[in-house]
Amino acid sequence: FLLQVADCRLESEEIVALVGPNGSGKSTFSRTVCGLDAVQKGTFKYDGKEVGRKDLNRIVGYVFQNPDYELFMGTVRDELAWSLRGCTWTSSEKDQLVVRCADLFHLDVDATVATMGYGMRKHLQAAIHYLLDRPFYILDELDSGVTYSAAFEMVGLLRSRGAGILLITHDRSFAESLASRTYVMDQGVLAGGKER
């Protein structure tokens, strides 16, 4: 499978949609943009400067389509605290931030992750990335398993600190209600991205 991407851009605070049929290359593209997969050729730029694969890991947060690929701790508190492990705040400050974040995303900090419903695990994914505070996020089918209002709220929270959002979805009306531009992936070829 070969991806062909002539150009793709995402600005801070912008929401851009990526649509296309199953197997067209959307998730492969996403893994590449966040540094999980290497490229054969081409470049990535952040603020006009070329960045490498390791840099992409710190710039782009990827909310996977399947939350079970991302969640591995016992409780909501543990998952959220793990996101803050590199911070220099005190334990008390971290715990307060975890509790506030859980409230924002309608989560019970003492809930056991393995027994949470699919939709609430999506909320937890979004909360984890909110704490990671990346400049850009890829939200891979965030709208599956949650209501429109919940998806809108999570997108708004992730964008609230200036992040740019690449929204992958099969729901064209959801994409059109949020995105200023839309890219279309078809058989590994990315096209579109023009302003509406």
Side-chain angles (χ1 to χ4, degrees), residues 12-63:
S12 296
E13 297 186 10
E14 184 181 31
I15 300 175
V16 173
L18 175 59
V19 299
N22 286 334
S24 62
K26 299 183 303 296
S27 293
T28 302
F29 175 70
S30 299
R31 288 193 313 269
T32 304
V33 169
C34 70
L36 291 175
D37 291 346
V39 295
Q40 291 178 353
K41 63 180 180 176
T43 58
F44 293 96
K45 290 185 178 179
Y46 175 59
D47 283 343
K49 296 178 183 168
E50 192 170 321
V51 293
R53 190 171 165 192
K54 286 184 181 180
D55 299 314
L56 290 172
N57 279 304
R58 292 183 289 277
I59 296 168
V60 182
Y62 183 18
V63 178

mmCIF file of all heavy atoms in Angstrom, residues 12-63:
data_model
loop_
_atom_site.group_PDB
_atom_site.id
_atom_site.type_symbol
_atom_site.label_atom_id
_atom_site.label_comp_id
_atom_site.label_asym_id
_atom_site.label_seq_id
_atom_site.Cartn_x
_atom_site.Cartn_y
_atom_site.Cartn_z
ATOM 1 N N SER A 12 -3.107 26.138 13.524
ATOM 2 C CA SER A 12 -3.556 26.169 14.913
ATOM 3 C C SER A 12 -5.015 26.607 14.966
ATOM 4 O O SER A 12 -5.437 27.477 14.197
ATOM 5 C CB SER A 12 -2.708 27.150 15.736
ATOM 6 O OG SER A 12 -1.383 26.717 15.793
ATOM 7 N N GLU A 13 -5.779 25.985 15.854
ATOM 8 C CA GLU A 13 -7.197 26.260 16.088
ATOM 9 C C GLU A 13 -8.110 25.886 14.924
ATOM 10 O O GLU A 13 -9.319 26.078 15.003
ATOM 11 C CB GLU A 13 -7.428 27.735 16.475
ATOM 12 C CG GLU A 13 -6.749 28.116 17.771
ATOM 13 C CD GLU A 13 -7.083 29.521 18.225
ATOM 14 O OE1 GLU A 13 -7.981 30.158 17.657
ATOM 15 O OE2 GLU A 13 -6.423 29.982 19.168
ATOM 16 N N GLU A 14 -7.561 25.346 13.855
ATOM 17 C CA GLU A 14 -8.368 24.966 12.693
ATOM 18 C C GLU A 14 -8.865 23.530 12.852
ATOM 19 O O GLU A 14 -8.182 22.687 13.421
ATOM 20 C CB GLU A 14 -7.507 25.089 11.429
ATOM 21 C CG GLU A 14 -8.255 24.804 10.151
ATOM 22 C CD GLU A 14 -7.368 24.923 8.922
ATOM 23 O OE1 GLU A 14 -6.155 24.648 9.014
ATOM 24 O OE2 GLU A 14 -7.898 25.281 7.861
ATOM 25 N N ILE A 15 -10.054 23.274 12.341
ATOM 26 C CA ILE A 15 -10.577 21.907 12.270
ATOM 27 C C ILE A 15 -10.696 21.538 10.799
ATOM 28 O O ILE A 15 -11.379 22.211 10.028
ATOM 29 C CB ILE A 15 -11.948 21.780 12.961
ATOM 30 C CG1 ILE A 15 -11.850 22.165 14.435
ATOM 31 C CG2 ILE A 15 -12.483 20.353 12.812
ATOM 32 C CD1 ILE A 15 -13.183 22.181 15.167
ATOM 33 N N VAL A 16 -10.000 20.487 10.424
ATOM 34 C CA VAL A 16 -9.996 19.993 9.053
ATOM 35 C C VAL A 16 -10.470 18.545 9.077
ATOM 36 O O VAL A 16 -10.074 17.777 9.955
ATOM 37 C CB VAL A 16 -8.578 20.088 8.440
ATOM 38 C CG1 VAL A 16 -8.518 19.432 7.080
ATOM 39 C CG2 VAL A 16 -8.140 21.544 8.349
ATOM 40 N N ALA A 17 -11.319 18.184 8.135
ATOM 41 C CA ALA A 17 -11.831 16.812 8.077
ATOM 42 C C ALA A 17 -11.034 15.984 7.076
ATOM 43 O O ALA A 17 -10.525 16.500 6.078
ATOM 44 C CB ALA A 17 -13.303 16.817 7.688
ATOM 45 N N LEU A 18 -10.946 14.692 7.359
ATOM 46 C CA LEU A 18 -10.381 13.710 6.433
ATOM 47 C C LEU A 18 -11.411 12.605 6.281
ATOM 48 O O LEU A 18 -11.761 11.939 7.258
ATOM 49 C CB LEU A 18 -9.059 13.153 6.975
ATOM 50 C CG LEU A 18 -8.405 12.024 6.171
ATOM 51 C CD1 LEU A 18 -8.108 12.456 4.739
ATOM 52 C CD2 LEU A 18 -7.134 11.544 6.860
ATOM 53 N N VAL A 19 -11.915 12.435 5.068
ATOM 54 C CA VAL A 19 -12.943 11.437 4.802
ATOM 55 C C VAL A 19 -12.467 10.492 3.705
ATOM 56 O O VAL A 19 -11.527 10.794 2.973
ATOM 57 C CB VAL A 19 -14.290 12.101 4.398
ATOM 58 C CG1 VAL A 19 -14.813 12.984 5.525
ATOM 59 C CG2 VAL A 19 -14.148 12.907 3.111
ATOM 60 N N GLY A 20 -13.133 9.372 3.592
ATOM 61 C CA GLY A 20 -12.810 8.391 2.558
ATOM 62 C C GLY A 20 -13.297 7.024 2.977
ATOM 63 O O GLY A 20 -13.573 6.787 4.160
ATOM 64 N N PRO A 21 -13.394 6.103 2.026
ATOM 65 C CA PRO A 21 -13.900 4.768 2.344
ATOM 66 C C PRO A 21 -12.933 3.966 3.208
ATOM 67 O O PRO A 21 -11.750 4.306 3.313
ATOM 68 C CB PRO A 21 -14.071 4.116 0.962
ATOM 69 C CG PRO A 21 -13.159 4.881 0.060
ATOM 70 C CD PRO A 21 -13.073 6.268 0.605
ATOM 71 N N ASN A 22 -13.437 2.911 3.829
ATOM 72 C CA ASN A 22 -12.587 2.002 4.591
ATOM 73 C C ASN A 22 -11.473 1.473 3.697
ATOM 74 O O ASN A 22 -11.706 1.140 2.533
ATOM 75 C CB ASN A 22 -13.395 0.819 5.137
ATOM 76 C CG ASN A 22 -14.280 1.219 6.293
ATOM 77 O OD1 ASN A 22 -13.993 2.170 6.997
ATOM 78 N ND2 ASN A 22 -15.363 0.483 6.486
ATOM 79 N N GLY A 23 -10.270 1.396 4.247
ATOM 80 C CA GLY A 23 -9.143 0.854 3.491
ATOM 81 C C GLY A 23 -8.511 1.830 2.517
ATOM 82 O O GLY A 23 -7.620 1.458 1.759
ATOM 83 N N SER A 24 -8.924 3.099 2.551
ATOM 84 C CA SER A 24 -8.400 4.071 1.587
ATOM 85 C C SER A 24 -7.049 4.656 2.001
ATOM 86 O O SER A 24 -6.352 5.252 1.192
ATOM 87 C CB SER A 24 -9.409 5.202 1.367
ATOM 88 O OG SER A 24 -9.637 5.910 2.569
ATOM 89 N N GLY A 25 -6.682 4.507 3.299
ATOM 90 C CA GLY A 25 -5.392 4.997 3.756
ATOM 91 C C GLY A 25 -5.452 6.074 4.825
ATOM 92 O O GLY A 25 -4.423 6.628 5.203
ATOM 93 N N LYS A 26 -6.643 6.364 5.341
ATOM 94 C CA LYS A 26 -6.783 7.426 6.340
ATOM 95 C C LYS A 26 -5.976 7.139 7.609
ATOM 96 O O LYS A 26 -5.252 8.005 8.101
ATOM 97 C CB LYS A 26 -8.265 7.636 6.697
ATOM 98 C CG LYS A 26 -9.151 8.042 5.548
ATOM 99 C CD LYS A 26 -10.578 8.310 5.971
ATOM 100 C CE LYS A 26 -11.270 7.161 6.677
ATOM 101 N NZ LYS A 26 -11.467 5.963 5.856
ATOM 102 N N SER A 27 -6.111 5.936 8.136
ATOM 103 C CA SER A 27 -5.384 5.604 9.370
ATOM 104 C C SER A 27 -3.885 5.476 9.124
ATOM 105 O O SER A 27 -3.072 5.863 9.974
ATOM 106 C CB SER A 27 -5.946 4.313 9.981
ATOM 107 O OG SER A 27 -7.266 4.531 10.433
ATOM 108 N N THR A 28 -3.498 4.975 7.960
ATOM 109 C CA THR A 28 -2.072 4.900 7.612
ATOM 110 C C THR A 28 -1.479 6.305 7.551
ATOM 111 O O THR A 28 -0.396 6.571 8.082
ATOM 112 C CB THR A 28 -1.880 4.184 6.266
ATOM 113 O OG1 THR A 28 -2.442 2.878 6.357
ATOM 114 C CG2 THR A 28 -0.416 4.085 5.883
ATOM 115 N N PHE A 29 -2.208 7.211 6.923
ATOM 116 C CA PHE A 29 -1.784 8.607 6.860
ATOM 117 C C PHE A 29 -1.639 9.184 8.273
ATOM 118 O O PHE A 29 -0.649 9.841 8.591
ATOM 119 C CB PHE A 29 -2.808 9.410 6.044
ATOM 120 C CG PHE A 29 -2.537 10.881 6.010
ATOM 121 C CD1 PHE A 29 -1.450 11.402 5.309
ATOM 122 C CD2 PHE A 29 -3.369 11.768 6.672
ATOM 123 C CE1 PHE A 29 -1.206 12.769 5.275
ATOM 124 C CE2 PHE A 29 -3.133 13.133 6.647
ATOM 125 C CZ PHE A 29 -2.048 13.632 5.943
ATOM 126 N N SER A 30 -2.610 8.903 9.127
ATOM 127 C CA SER A 30 -2.591 9.418 10.498
ATOM 128 C C SER A 30 -1.387 8.905 11.275
ATOM 129 O O SER A 30 -0.727 9.660 11.991
ATOM 130 C CB SER A 30 -3.871 9.020 11.219
ATOM 131 O OG SER A 30 -4.979 9.562 10.562
ATOM 132 N N ARG A 31 -1.114 7.615 11.156
ATOM 133 C CA ARG A 31 0.041 7.043 11.859
ATOM 134 C C ARG A 31 1.342 7.679 11.382
ATOM 135 O O ARG A 31 2.285 7.847 12.148
ATOM 136 C CB ARG A 31 0.074 5.525 11.679
ATOM 137 C CG ARG A 31 -0.996 4.787 12.465
ATOM 138 C CD ARG A 31 -0.738 3.283 12.527
ATOM 139 N NE ARG A 31 -0.406 2.705 11.250
ATOM 140 C CZ ARG A 31 -1.287 2.196 10.382
ATOM 141 N NH1 ARG A 31 -2.571 2.215 10.660
ATOM 142 N NH2 ARG A 31 -0.883 1.668 9.255
ATOM 143 N N THR A 32 1.385 8.038 10.117
ATOM 144 C CA THR A 32 2.576 8.682 9.561
ATOM 145 C C THR A 32 2.718 10.103 10.085
ATOM 146 O O THR A 32 3.805 10.522 10.491
ATOM 147 C CB THR A 32 2.500 8.691 8.018
ATOM 148 O OG1 THR A 32 2.341 7.348 7.562
ATOM 149 C CG2 THR A 32 3.750 9.269 7.406
ATOM 150 N N VAL A 33 1.609 10.847 10.120
ATOM 151 C CA VAL A 33 1.640 12.243 10.554
ATOM 152 C C VAL A 33 2.036 12.369 12.025
ATOM 153 O O VAL A 33 2.680 13.343 12.413
ATOM 154 C CB VAL A 33 0.276 12.925 10.290
ATOM 155 C CG1 VAL A 33 0.185 14.283 10.954
ATOM 156 C CG2 VAL A 33 0.021 13.047 8.803
ATOM 157 N N CYS A 34 1.687 11.387 12.857
ATOM 158 C CA CYS A 34 2.065 11.497 14.273
ATOM 159 C C CYS A 34 3.377 10.768 14.577
ATOM 160 O O CYS A 34 3.766 10.661 15.735
ATOM 161 C CB CYS A 34 0.935 11.015 15.182
ATOM 162 S SG CYS A 34 0.653 9.264 15.148
ATOM 163 N N GLY A 35 4.063 10.288 13.550
ATOM 164 C CA GLY A 35 5.393 9.730 13.731
ATOM 165 C C GLY A 35 5.454 8.252 14.044
ATOM 166 O O GLY A 35 6.526 7.715 14.310
ATOM 167 N N LEU A 36 4.309 7.556 14.017
ATOM 168 C CA LEU A 36 4.334 6.115 14.293
ATOM 169 C C LEU A 36 4.902 5.321 13.117
ATOM 170 O O LEU A 36 5.564 4.306 13.316
ATOM 171 C CB LEU A 36 2.928 5.607 14.626
ATOM 172 C CG LEU A 36 2.338 6.081 15.947
ATOM 173 C CD1 LEU A 36 0.906 5.596 16.099
ATOM 174 C CD2 LEU A 36 3.188 5.608 17.125
ATOM 175 N N ASP A 37 4.620 5.763 11.900
ATOM 176 C CA ASP A 37 5.139 5.105 10.697
ATOM 177 C C ASP A 37 6.110 6.043 9.988
ATOM 178 O O ASP A 37 5.907 7.263 9.975
ATOM 179 C CB ASP A 37 4.000 4.741 9.727
ATOM 180 C CG ASP A 37 3.099 3.636 10.250
ATOM 181 O OD1 ASP A 37 3.485 2.963 11.234
ATOM 182 O OD2 ASP A 37 2.011 3.438 9.681
ATOM 183 N N ALA A 38 7.153 5.476 9.392
ATOM 184 C CA ALA A 38 8.143 6.273 8.661
ATOM 185 C C ALA A 38 7.672 6.523 7.233
ATOM 186 O O ALA A 38 6.857 5.772 6.693
ATOM 187 C CB ALA A 38 9.480 5.531 8.640
ATOM 188 N N VAL A 39 8.184 7.588 6.625
ATOM 189 C CA VAL A 39 7.883 7.882 5.221
ATOM 190 C C VAL A 39 9.071 7.491 4.361
ATOM 191 O O VAL A 39 10.217 7.496 4.812
ATOM 192 C CB VAL A 39 7.556 9.380 5.007
ATOM 193 C CG1 VAL A 39 6.282 9.759 5.737
ATOM 194 C CG2 VAL A 39 8.692 10.276 5.433
ATOM 195 N N GLN A 40 8.779 7.136 3.091
ATOM 196 C CA GLN A 40 9.862 6.837 2.155
ATOM 197 C C GLN A 40 10.522 8.113 1.664
ATOM 198 O O GLN A 40 11.734 8.190 1.513
ATOM 199 C CB GLN A 40 9.335 6.021 0.979
ATOM 200 C CG GLN A 40 8.920 4.628 1.372
ATOM 201 C CD GLN A 40 8.365 3.834 0.214
ATOM 202 O OE1 GLN A 40 8.155 4.352 -0.877
ATOM 203 N NE2 GLN A 40 8.117 2.557 0.442
ATOM 204 N N LYS A 41 9.682 9.114 1.408
ATOM 205 C CA LYS A 41 10.213 10.426 1.036
ATOM 206 C C LYS A 41 9.167 11.478 1.363
ATOM 207 O O LYS A 41 7.992 11.181 1.541
ATOM 208 C CB LYS A 41 10.620 10.481 -0.438
ATOM 209 C CG LYS A 41 9.486 10.292 -1.409
ATOM 210 C CD LYS A 41 10.015 10.378 -2.831
ATOM 211 C CE LYS A 41 8.871 10.200 -3.829
ATOM 212 N NZ LYS A 41 9.315 10.368 -5.199
ATOM 213 N N GLY A 42 9.641 12.722 1.463
ATOM 214 C CA GLY A 42 8.757 13.814 1.819
ATOM 215 C C GLY A 42 9.178 14.433 3.143
ATOM 216 O O GLY A 42 10.054 13.907 3.842
ATOM 217 N N THR A 43 8.565 15.559 3.486
ATOM 218 C CA THR A 43 8.933 16.274 4.696
ATOM 219 C C THR A 43 7.695 16.716 5.471
ATOM 220 O O THR A 43 6.611 16.871 4.915
ATOM 221 C CB THR A 43 9.762 17.538 4.361
ATOM 222 O OG1 THR A 43 9.006 18.386 3.502
ATOM 223 C CG2 THR A 43 11.079 17.174 3.715
ATOM 224 N N PHE A 44 7.897 16.930 6.754
ATOM 225 C CA PHE A 44 6.894 17.524 7.635
ATOM 226 C C PHE A 44 7.477 18.823 8.174
ATOM 227 O O PHE A 44 8.661 18.887 8.506
ATOM 228 C CB PHE A 44 6.582 16.592 8.812
ATOM 229 C CG PHE A 44 5.894 15.334 8.411
ATOM 230 C CD1 PHE A 44 6.621 14.169 8.200
ATOM 231 C CD2 PHE A 44 4.517 15.301 8.239
ATOM 232 C CE1 PHE A 44 5.988 12.999 7.833
ATOM 233 C CE2 PHE A 44 3.881 14.131 7.869
ATOM 234 C CZ PHE A 44 4.615 12.975 7.665
ATOM 235 N N LYS A 45 6.620 19.846 8.252
ATOM 236 C CA LYS A 45 7.074 21.122 8.794
ATOM 237 C C LYS A 45 6.147 21.564 9.908
ATOM 238 O O LYS A 45 4.940 21.365 9.855
ATOM 239 C CB LYS A 45 7.101 22.191 7.695
ATOM 240 C CG LYS A 45 8.190 21.956 6.674
ATOM 241 C CD LYS A 45 8.256 23.089 5.675
ATOM 242 C CE LYS A 45 9.387 22.833 4.690
ATOM 243 N NZ LYS A 45 9.476 23.903 3.681
ATOM 244 N N TYR A 46 6.765 22.182 10.923
ATOM 245 C CA TYR A 46 6.030 22.750 12.043
ATOM 246 C C TYR A 46 6.566 24.158 12.250
ATOM 247 O O TYR A 46 7.765 24.349 12.428
ATOM 248 C CB TYR A 46 6.241 21.892 13.298
ATOM 249 C CG TYR A 46 5.631 22.455 14.553
ATOM 250 C CD1 TYR A 46 4.269 22.705 14.635
ATOM 251 C CD2 TYR A 46 6.422 22.746 15.661
ATOM 252 C CE1 TYR A 46 3.708 23.221 15.795
ATOM 253 C CE2 TYR A 46 5.865 23.252 16.816
ATOM 254 C CZ TYR A 46 4.508 23.494 16.880
ATOM 255 O OH TYR A 46 3.953 24.007 18.021
ATOM 256 N N ASP A 47 5.695 25.147 12.177
ATOM 257 C CA ASP A 47 6.092 26.560 12.247
ATOM 258 C C ASP A 47 7.181 26.879 11.220
ATOM 259 O O ASP A 47 8.135 27.605 11.511
ATOM 260 C CB ASP A 47 6.578 26.936 13.653
ATOM 261 C CG ASP A 47 5.429 27.134 14.630
ATOM 262 O OD1 ASP A 47 4.279 27.294 14.174
ATOM 263 O OD2 ASP A 47 5.686 27.141 15.847
ATOM 264 N N GLY A 48 7.057 26.299 10.029
ATOM 265 C CA GLY A 48 7.978 26.595 8.935
ATOM 266 C C GLY A 48 9.290 25.847 8.969
ATOM 267 O O GLY A 48 10.092 25.950 8.043
ATOM 268 N N LYS A 49 9.531 25.066 10.036
ATOM 269 C CA LYS A 49 10.789 24.327 10.145
ATOM 270 C C LYS A 49 10.537 22.838 9.965
ATOM 271 O O LYS A 49 9.575 22.287 10.492
ATOM 272 C CB LYS A 49 11.444 24.574 11.511
ATOM 273 C CG LYS A 49 11.848 26.013 11.721
ATOM 274 C CD LYS A 49 12.436 26.207 13.093
ATOM 275 C CE LYS A 49 12.766 27.682 13.306
ATOM 276 N NZ LYS A 49 13.081 27.994 14.681
ATOM 277 N N GLU A 50 11.435 22.186 9.255
ATOM 278 C CA GLU A 50 11.308 20.749 9.030
ATOM 279 C C GLU A 50 11.485 20.001 10.350
ATOM 280 O O GLU A 50 12.360 20.331 11.153
ATOM 281 C CB GLU A 50 12.356 20.291 8.017
ATOM 282 C CG GLU A 50 12.122 18.889 7.513
ATOM 283 C CD GLU A 50 13.014 18.544 6.333
ATOM 284 O OE1 GLU A 50 13.236 19.409 5.461
ATOM 285 O OE2 GLU A 50 13.489 17.383 6.293
ATOM 286 N N VAL A 51 10.622 19.014 10.576
ATOM 287 C CA VAL A 51 10.698 18.206 11.801
ATOM 288 C C VAL A 51 10.780 16.730 11.430
ATOM 289 O O VAL A 51 10.285 16.304 10.392
ATOM 290 C CB VAL A 51 9.483 18.454 12.729
ATOM 291 C CG1 VAL A 51 9.506 19.868 13.281
ATOM 292 C CG2 VAL A 51 8.174 18.166 12.031
ATOM 293 N N GLY A 52 11.407 15.970 12.319
ATOM 294 C CA GLY A 52 11.565 14.542 12.111
ATOM 295 C C GLY A 52 10.483 13.737 12.812
ATOM 296 O O GLY A 52 9.617 14.268 13.506
ATOM 297 N N ARG A 53 10.593 12.450 12.658
ATOM 298 C CA ARG A 53 9.604 11.513 13.196
ATOM 299 C C ARG A 53 9.479 11.610 14.714
ATOM 300 O O ARG A 53 8.376 11.598 15.259
ATOM 301 C CB ARG A 53 10.023 10.103 12.764
ATOM 302 C CG ARG A 53 9.018 9.052 13.024
ATOM 303 C CD ARG A 53 9.472 7.772 12.356
ATOM 304 N NE ARG A 53 8.713 6.657 12.865
ATOM 305 C CZ ARG A 53 9.028 5.403 12.644
ATOM 306 N NH1 ARG A 53 10.080 5.103 11.927
ATOM 307 N NH2 ARG A 53 8.294 4.443 13.138
ATOM 308 N N LYS A 54 10.588 11.737 15.426
ATOM 309 C CA LYS A 54 10.530 11.845 16.892
ATOM 310 C C LYS A 54 9.842 13.137 17.319
ATOM 311 O O LYS A 54 9.136 13.170 18.326
ATOM 312 C CB LYS A 54 11.931 11.760 17.490
ATOM 313 C CG LYS A 54 12.499 10.364 17.462
ATOM 314 C CD LYS A 54 13.840 10.302 18.147
ATOM 315 C CE LYS A 54 14.395 8.906 18.089
ATOM 316 N NZ LYS A 54 15.707 8.781 18.732
ATOM 317 N N ASP A 55 10.068 14.207 16.567
ATOM 318 C CA ASP A 55 9.408 15.481 16.880
ATOM 319 C C ASP A 55 7.898 15.370 16.706
ATOM 320 O O ASP A 55 7.139 15.934 17.483
ATOM 321 C CB ASP A 55 9.935 16.595 15.969
ATOM 322 C CG ASP A 55 11.424 16.832 16.140
ATOM 323 O OD1 ASP A 55 11.879 16.901 17.297
ATOM 324 O OD2 ASP A 55 12.132 16.939 15.123
ATOM 325 N N LEU A 56 7.477 14.650 15.686
ATOM 326 C CA LEU A 56 6.037 14.500 15.424
ATOM 327 C C LEU A 56 5.331 13.856 16.613
ATOM 328 O O LEU A 56 4.187 14.188 16.910
ATOM 329 C CB LEU A 56 5.805 13.665 14.156
ATOM 330 C CG LEU A 56 6.189 14.343 12.848
ATOM 331 C CD1 LEU A 56 6.088 13.348 11.688
ATOM 332 C CD2 LEU A 56 5.320 15.562 12.579
ATOM 333 N N ASN A 57 6.005 12.948 17.299
ATOM 334 C CA ASN A 57 5.420 12.299 18.482
ATOM 335 C C ASN A 57 5.071 13.304 19.575
ATOM 336 O O ASN A 57 4.154 13.085 20.360
ATOM 337 C CB ASN A 57 6.397 11.267 19.065
ATOM 338 C CG ASN A 57 6.350 9.960 18.324
ATOM 339 O OD1 ASN A 57 5.303 9.361 18.204
ATOM 340 N ND2 ASN A 57 7.483 9.518 17.818
ATOM 341 N N ARG A 58 5.811 14.407 19.648
ATOM 342 C CA ARG A 58 5.563 15.418 20.670
ATOM 343 C C ARG A 58 4.651 16.548 20.184
ATOM 344 O O ARG A 58 4.154 17.325 20.981
ATOM 345 C CB ARG A 58 6.893 15.998 21.162
ATOM 346 C CG ARG A 58 7.723 14.985 21.948
ATOM 347 C CD ARG A 58 8.991 15.604 22.492
ATOM 348 N NE ARG A 58 9.984 15.896 21.472
ATOM 349 C CZ ARG A 58 10.849 15.013 20.981
ATOM 350 N NH1 ARG A 58 10.837 13.775 21.424
ATOM 351 N NH2 ARG A 58 11.729 15.362 20.068
ATOM 352 N N ILE A 59 4.451 16.621 18.882
ATOM 353 C CA ILE A 59 3.651 17.694 18.288
ATOM 354 C C ILE A 59 2.211 17.244 18.031
ATOM 355 O O ILE A 59 1.274 18.006 18.229
ATOM 356 C CB ILE A 59 4.298 18.186 16.968
ATOM 357 C CG1 ILE A 59 5.659 18.811 17.255
ATOM 358 C CG2 ILE A 59 3.384 19.158 16.238
ATOM 359 C CD1 ILE A 59 6.494 19.059 16.014
ATOM 360 N N VAL A 60 2.054 16.001 17.594
ATOM 361 C CA VAL A 60 0.737 15.515 17.156
ATOM 362 C C VAL A 60 0.243 14.408 18.091
ATOM 363 O O VAL A 60 0.910 13.384 18.255
ATOM 364 C CB VAL A 60 0.796 14.973 15.705
ATOM 365 C CG1 VAL A 60 -0.590 14.529 15.248
ATOM 366 C CG2 VAL A 60 1.366 16.024 14.758
ATOM 367 N N GLY A 61 -0.914 14.610 18.684
ATOM 368 C CA GLY A 61 -1.564 13.573 19.486
ATOM 369 C C GLY A 61 -2.550 12.812 18.608
ATOM 370 O O GLY A 61 -3.306 13.424 17.856
ATOM 371 N N TYR A 62 -2.551 11.496 18.704
ATOM 372 C CA TYR A 62 -3.406 10.660 17.867
ATOM 373 C C TYR A 62 -4.396 9.914 18.757
ATOM 374 O O TYR A 62 -4.008 9.027 19.515
ATOM 375 C CB TYR A 62 -2.546 9.690 17.065
ATOM 376 C CG TYR A 62 -3.267 8.800 16.082
ATOM 377 C CD1 TYR A 62 -4.553 9.068 15.635
ATOM 378 C CD2 TYR A 62 -2.630 7.676 15.566
ATOM 379 C CE1 TYR A 62 -5.196 8.255 14.724
ATOM 380 C CE2 TYR A 62 -3.256 6.846 14.642
ATOM 381 C CZ TYR A 62 -4.544 7.142 14.224
ATOM 382 O OH TYR A 62 -5.166 6.320 13.324
ATOM 383 N N VAL A 63 -5.659 10.290 18.672
ATOM 384 C CA VAL A 63 -6.722 9.596 19.399
ATOM 385 C C VAL A 63 -7.194 8.456 18.494
ATOM 386 O O VAL A 63 -7.917 8.677 17.526
ATOM 387 C CB VAL A 63 -7.877 10.560 19.759
ATOM 388 C CG1 VAL A 63 -8.995 9.810 20.474
ATOM 389 C CG2 VAL A 63 -7.362 11.698 20.627
#
